[in-house]
Amino acid sequence: MHNPSQSGASLEISDLSKAYGSFKALDAVSLTARQGEFLSLLGPSGSGKTTTLNMIAGFTSPTSGEIRVDGREISTLPPYRRDIGIVFQHYALFPHLTAAQNIAFPLQRRGMPRRDVAVRVAEALEMVKLDGYGDRYPRQLSGGQQQRVAFARAVVFKPKLLLMDEPLGALDKKLREDLQGEIRRIHRSLGITFVFVTHDQEEALALSDRIAVFNHGRIEQIGTSRELYETPATEFVARFIGEANIFSGTLVRGDAGLALDTPVGLLPVETRLPAGRQASLVVRPERLEIGKAPHAGSDPHVPATVRDVVYLGSNRRIEIVFDDGRTGIIRGSGRGTDVGAGERIDIRWSIADGYVVPFSSSQTGDGHGS
Amino acid sequence: MRGGIPRSPGRIFAWGMAGLVMLWLTAPVLVLLPLSFSGRRSFRFPPDTWSLRWYENFFTDSTWHASLLTSLKVGLLSTAASMILGTMAAFALHKLYFSGKAFVTGFLLAPMIFPGVVSAIAIFGVYLTWHISGTLTGFVAAHTVLSLPFVIVSVRSALRIFDWELEKAAASLGASPFETFRLVTLPLILPGVLIGGLFAFVISFDEVVVSLFLQTPFVRTLPVQMYLSVTESIDPTVAAASTIIVIVTVASILISMLFWQKRKTSDA
């Protein structure tokens, strides 16, 4: 087994930009992946995450900025000199070669003796639990098996950095979850640095050490799953990671402290932002409590109407409509959530469970993000 | 079609029509074949006596078998040249973006639709000043021009269905652009290249008009020799030569079809 700290490379991207004419696909993005880290690039399509990946891989040349792997600038190297493993969304297995020949390909390009190639290919097939499938052609394998072969091929030459471009995007849910587990297992055992591009926030949350959230060619926030969920830097992150109830308004200083003046009422908040600022309050669905009568204490509370209740076994997902017409989500279990569609309720939360982010005009859509 | 036994009147009609068309297409061969075995120096059909003398003549008279050899040489060399050049051209047309690309494409494909006699006169005129008329080089160059479009068309259609992500994958695995071409791209577009090559060979082997302008008594392709023979004398060797041309053409197509079949079954 390798020593994880030695087999992963560090990746530093600074001020990386890509412009197509006047359109900026990537706008001065900087990020770092530590040695052996699992970093996800998460964002909607067209947010710049794939452009970033393509520039690390060498398929796209940056307009400006630097990419360093273990401190070495690689932007001028052609892709075949970068020694970076890549797993493609649609596998990109060579259809005229068997699984074993596909996996042998990078080893042969490096002039490895035939006998060593055979040993390494066998090890790689075993690693992805495909021993005995070496002689099959890609079309004789299922989608999941093909992606395993692609994975084995991308790591068999022991790159220090592995890029994955939505590698599970073409597979069904059950298979995705199985492969997620395997990707985590392989990441731990190989210790290489993984950069994983996805638009699926659940996948990113489940796999990553840290996540970089992309939007409109910029990074909105980089952090652990927990940081992104509990302390989102922007409204976009709050909506993109998990579900959120969002109230927008102006911060005002009242008798009991700072509050957000919103269309549905004055909501007490805790924040370091100054009064007078436009801001949005983010409250996660599982932090909300349901009351049948208006709350009498000092906690923030808002009246709402139940629109729909979805029973999900372990919990319920309750869609609500606030009096200004915007929608919200409550997730919870227990007796408190026993409400029916059309019922008037009063929702409340502890002031510490609300998180204030600066107002951003780039935000689109209303209601909860998913 | 499965079963193959016609039942309904519509099917009987369809099979009847198909049979007629097949007969129409093959009738010339059905006349030529017996003629080549005629025992007399005449084109009377059907022959009243039989012999192999015209085949014997074909392979003993040097004007005949030398022309077959010339045709094979010109055919194979121009096929090789147009396969290489056509593949390169198809790649350039597929991968590069440049102004005037439509014009260049049309220019490259023009020999396919250009009247043969016009091309022939143009090539002949240029060759006279270059002094390569009547040389093997001249023949190969002219036939390459004529067959190039067929290779380009066929390789382009192969490139259209080629998955370009495979080239990225190969690069990420450490293959240089040349290695990528040799090990990934070429093997996968090879059917297109070979079909183009087959077209090129058949076109060259069958070409009369340009070859007629370029020929000399020393360098003469088989179709030209046949034409000259028919205009000068009554010589059933021409029927034997025709049969040989049909055999070479059909054989090259059959061989490639067998090759295909083998590839397909070994792939499955």
Side-chain angles (χ1 to χ4, degrees):
Chain A
M1 204 89 292
H2 323 273
N3 178 353
S5 67
Q6 279 178 359
S7 48
S10 67
L11 170 73
E12 300 140 58
I13 289 175
S14 42
D15 282 329
L16 197 65
S17 294
K18 179 68 188 179
Y20 296 100
S22 60
F23 172 69
K24 283 191 171 170
L26 204 65
D27 191 3
V29 158
S30 299
L31 65 85
T32 346
R34 290 185 283 266
Q35 296 187 337
E37 188 175 25
F38 196 127
L39 178 74
S40 286
L41 311 186
L42 173 68
S45 57
S47 60
K49 57 191 195 304
T50 301
T51 307
T52 305
L53 187 94
N54 279 332
M55 288 198 277
I56 302 170
F59 301 140
T60 307
S61 53
T63 308
S64 63
E66 289 185 346
I67 303 166
R68 293 175 186 279
V69 173
D70 274 342
R72 199 163 73 106
E73 165 68 75
I74 59 159
S75 334
T76 52
L77 285 179
Y80 58 94
R81 294 258 166 75
R82 294 198 179 189
D83 228 25
I84 294 173
I86 303 176
V87 180
F88 295 85
Q89 180 173 10
H90 299 290
Y91 327 133
L93 292 177
F94 306 128
H96 60 303
L97 302 180
T98 62
Q101 288 168 338
N102 265 281
I103 298 171
F105 190 90
L107 302 176
Q108 288 159 344
R109 302 285 73 67
R110 287 159 175 79
M112 185 181 275
R114 186 181 288 236
R115 194 180 301 160
D116 300 351
V117 169
V119 172
R120 290 276 285 273
V121 168
E123 281 173 7
L125 280 168
E126 196 183 345
M127 177 188 75
V128 295
K129 297 176 182 163
L130 280 178
D131 5 7
Y133 287 83
D135 291 335
R136 303 253 186 123
Y137 283 91
R139 79 188 141 275
Q140 296 168 314
L141 298 170
S142 71
Q145 290 170 335
Q146 287 185 47
Q147 194 56 293
R148 284 160 194 263
V149 174
F151 199 84
R153 185 181 67 172
V155 297
V156 72
F157 58 100
K158 300 199 188 332
K160 293 180 150 196
L161 179 59
L162 181 73
L163 310 179
M164 285 177 278
D165 185 10
E166 309 243 3
L168 309 178
L171 303 171
D172 65 56
K173 193 175 189 313
K174 177 76 181 72
L175 209 51
R176 265 209 313 268
E177 282 165 8
D178 288 353
L179 277 170
Q180 280 178 12
E182 272 191 61
I183 288 175
R184 279 176 71 90
R185 176 176 64 80
I186 292 170
H187 175 247
R188 273 199 299 271
S189 74
L190 295 182
I192 25 185
T193 309
F194 278 30
V195 175
F196 186 94
V197 163
T198 182
H199 66 268
D200 182 339
Q201 49 100 9
E202 276 181 48
E203 196 168 280
L205 290 175
L207 288 172
S208 325
D209 293 324
R210 284 190 309 149
I211 301 170
V213 182
F214 279 71
N215 189 30
H216 296 308
R218 290 173 161 276
I219 292 182
E220 298 261 336
Q221 188 175 7
I222 306 180
T224 63
S225 303
R226 186 171 178 165
E227 283 164 2
L228 295 181
Y229 190 75
E230 292 183 0
T231 56
T234 65
E235 197 179 323
F236 176 82
V237 174
R239 287 180 191 274
F240 204 74
I241 306 287
E243 292 177 317
N245 296 284
I246 293 176
F247 307 96
S248 300
T250 312
L251 285 168
V252 292
R253 185 157 302 276
D255 316 329
L258 218 49
L260 194 66
D261 187 12
T262 74
V264 292
L266 212 55
L267 305 172
V269 294
E270 277 174 358
T271 177
R272 265 179 270 170
L273 292 173
R277 275 286 292 270
Q278 289 234 357
S280 296
L281 173 65
V282 179
V283 192
R284 295 299 181 182
E286 68 278 8
R287 304 289 185 183
L288 295 180
E289 274 175 52
I290 295 171
K292 305 281 180 183
H295 180 62
S298 62
D299 282 346
H301 66 106
V302 174
T305 307
V306 176
R307 186 164 74 178
D308 197 12
V309 182
V310 184
Y311 182 75
L312 296 169
S314 61
N315 64 39
R316 289 194 178 86
R317 186 175 184 278
I318 301 163
E319 294 179 19
I320 50 176
V321 183
F322 299 113
D323 291 350
D324 66 345
R326 290 168 65 101
T327 56
I329 296 283
I330 306 170
R331 260 179 197 276
S333 52
R335 265 166 295 164
T337 62
D338 220 358
V339 292
E343 195 172 326
R344 280 295 286 176
I345 54 172
D346 183 67
I347 63 160
R348 63 196 62 158
W349 60 92
S350 155
I351 191 163
D353 285 335
Y355 190 79
V356 178
V357 297
F359 180 81
S360 58
S361 54
S362 70
Q363 194 50 55
T364 51
D366 66 338
H368 56 89
S370 63
Chain B
M1 185 171 276
R2 255 157 200 261
I5 302 158
R7 288 204 186 81
S8 70
R11 279 205 171 177
I12 292 169
F13 178 74
W15 277 91
M17 287 306 285
L20 273 177
V21 171
M22 282 197 283
L23 187 66
W24 173 264
L25 289 174
T26 51
V29 178
L30 297 179
V31 173
L32 265 173
L33 201 62
L35 266 187
S36 68
F37 292 104
S38 170
R40 289 169 192 273
R41 181 176 283 275
S42 93
F43 286 134
R44 218 175 101 178
F45 183 82
D48 44 8
T49 56
W50 304 91
S51 78
L52 286 172
R53 58 187 281 206
W54 306 115
Y55 285 92
E56 193 190 338
N57 188 43
F58 184 91
F59 287 108
T60 49
D61 183 344
S62 71
T63 49
W64 283 105
H65 69 249
S67 67
L68 172 63
L69 213 62
T70 304
S71 269
L72 288 173
K73 268 192 227 163
V74 171
L76 292 174
L77 287 172
S78 66
T79 297
S82 57
M83 273 164 80
I84 294 168
L85 295 173
T87 303
M88 282 160 57
F91 258 80
L93 291 176
H94 194 94
K95 276 198 153 178
L96 304 180
Y97 294 91
F98 53 91
S99 55
K101 183 164 151 178
F103 177 76
V104 171
T105 308
F107 201 78
L108 283 170
L109 300 184
M112 208 153 57
I113 47 163
F114 219 60
V117 70
V118 179
S119 303
I121 290 170
I123 291 170
F124 184 58
V126 173
Y127 276 18
L128 284 181
T129 60
W130 289 359
H131 304 292
I132 55 168
S133 184
T135 65
L136 191 66
T137 317
F139 269 101
V140 171
H143 282 195
T144 302
V145 169
L146 297 179
S147 52
L148 195 58
F150 293 89
V151 179
I152 295 177
V153 166
S154 152
V155 176
R156 276 181 98 191
S157 64
L159 288 178
R160 247 176 238 130
I161 55 164
F162 179 73
D163 177 5
W164 293 96
E165 199 149 270
L166 296 179
E167 288 204 338
K168 286 189 182 178
S172 80
L173 298 169
S176 68
F178 178 71
E179 285 176 314
T180 300
F181 178 77
R182 186 170 61 88
L183 298 168
V184 176
T185 319
L186 186 60
L188 289 170
I189 62 162
L190 199 60
V193 177
L194 291 180
I195 287 178
L198 183 66
F199 268 115
F201 181 76
V202 170
I203 281 166
S204 165
F205 202 70
D206 187 43
E207 209 284 327
V208 193
V209 184
V210 174
S211 305
L212 202 53
F213 278 81
L214 299 184
Q215 63 97 18
T216 69
F218 311 106
V219 183
R220 186 178 276 174
T221 60
L222 187 53
V224 172
Q225 172 59 30
M226 290 164 67
Y227 173 77
L228 295 176
S229 159
V230 171
T231 52
E232 283 162 9
S233 59
I234 294 173
D235 180 358
T237 309
V238 79
S242 306
T243 309
I244 288 166
I245 286 197
V246 169
I247 289 169
V248 170
T249 313
V250 170
S252 49
I253 291 169
L254 279 181
I255 289 168
S256 57
M257 277 169 69
L258 281 176
F259 176 71
W260 247 234
Q261 213 55 43
K262 212 180 127 229
R263 254 178 89 100
K264 263 193 185 161
T265 47
S266 74
D267 279 5

